[in-house]
Amino acid sequence: MTMPIIIRRPKVVVQPLDEDGSPTSDAPVDVSCDFSSIEFGVDQPSTTVSTFCGKFQVPDDIEESVTGEFTINADTDGNWSPLVGANVEMQVWDRDDATSYRTVNVYIGINPSLYGTTEPGSARQPSVDFPVLSAVAWASGSYTAPSS
């Protein structure tokens, strides 16, 4: 496995997608305040094959992963509840003044506000692996904070 890219305090906007993978009429949701970090990983497993010439390894398909580390706050449930069960385009900026960002389509299967420690006085910081539906790619555009 190669070293993952970890972005601390990312700027993240999710856009719900329809069954064809096109953006819906729903407004994009800024979930930046919910993430403490996001990790993009890639792995290329291999299969060991034995022949009369001996054993050797054949590379398999590349597997990409997206993992979010969350810090639960007062807005987390309101941000994620409407997204559960949806395919979304996740747009991730490294910083406020970035002019390009990473984009990937993922499936939102759970609401992160429902998980994490319940110990009094402890921050709830669950980790969520998102099923990846498309390859991570670069796109151009600046992050714009949502208007309230």
Side-chain angles (χ1 to χ4, degrees):
M1 180 169 177
T2 60
M3 293 296 295
I5 295 170
I6 300 173
I7 302 168
R8 308 266 182 223
R9 296 179 41 210
K11 301 301 176 192
V12 182
V13 174
V14 293
Q15 170 65 58
L17 302 173
D18 63 18
E19 54 277 347
D20 297 323
S22 300
T24 65
S25 59
D26 297 334
V29 181
D30 189 319
V31 292
S32 301
C33 291
D34 301 328
F35 281 94
S36 55
S37 69
I38 193 164
E39 177 180 306
F40 294 102
V42 65
D43 189 19
Q44 185 168 23
S46 60
T47 304
T48 301
V49 179
S50 294
T51 68
F52 63 90
C53 293
K55 290 184 178 183
F56 59 96
Q57 292 188 333
V58 177
D60 207 347
D61 293 335
I62 291 175
E63 299 173 0
E64 294 183 274
S65 64
V66 176
T67 302
E69 297 289 332
F70 291 84
T71 300
I72 305 304
N73 61 63
D75 297 326
T76 303
D77 185 57
N79 288 342
W80 290 89
S81 287
L83 299 171
V84 172
N87 293 340
V88 301
E89 177 187 50
M90 186 177 285
Q91 303 166 355
V92 182
W93 285 266
D94 295 357
R95 57 188 189 280
D96 289 343
D97 61 349
T99 57
S100 60
Y101 59 93
R102 290 172 180 85
T103 181
V104 62
N105 293 354
V106 299
Y107 174 76
I108 307 293
I110 65 167
N111 180 343
S113 72
L114 301 176
Y115 300 92
T117 183
T118 56
E119 226 174 277
S122 296
R124 291 180 46 223
Q125 297 178 309
S127 177
V128 175
D129 292 327
F130 295 101
V132 176
L133 306 175
S134 71
V136 177
W138 282 104
S140 295
S142 298
Y143 170 76
T144 305
S147 55
S148 303

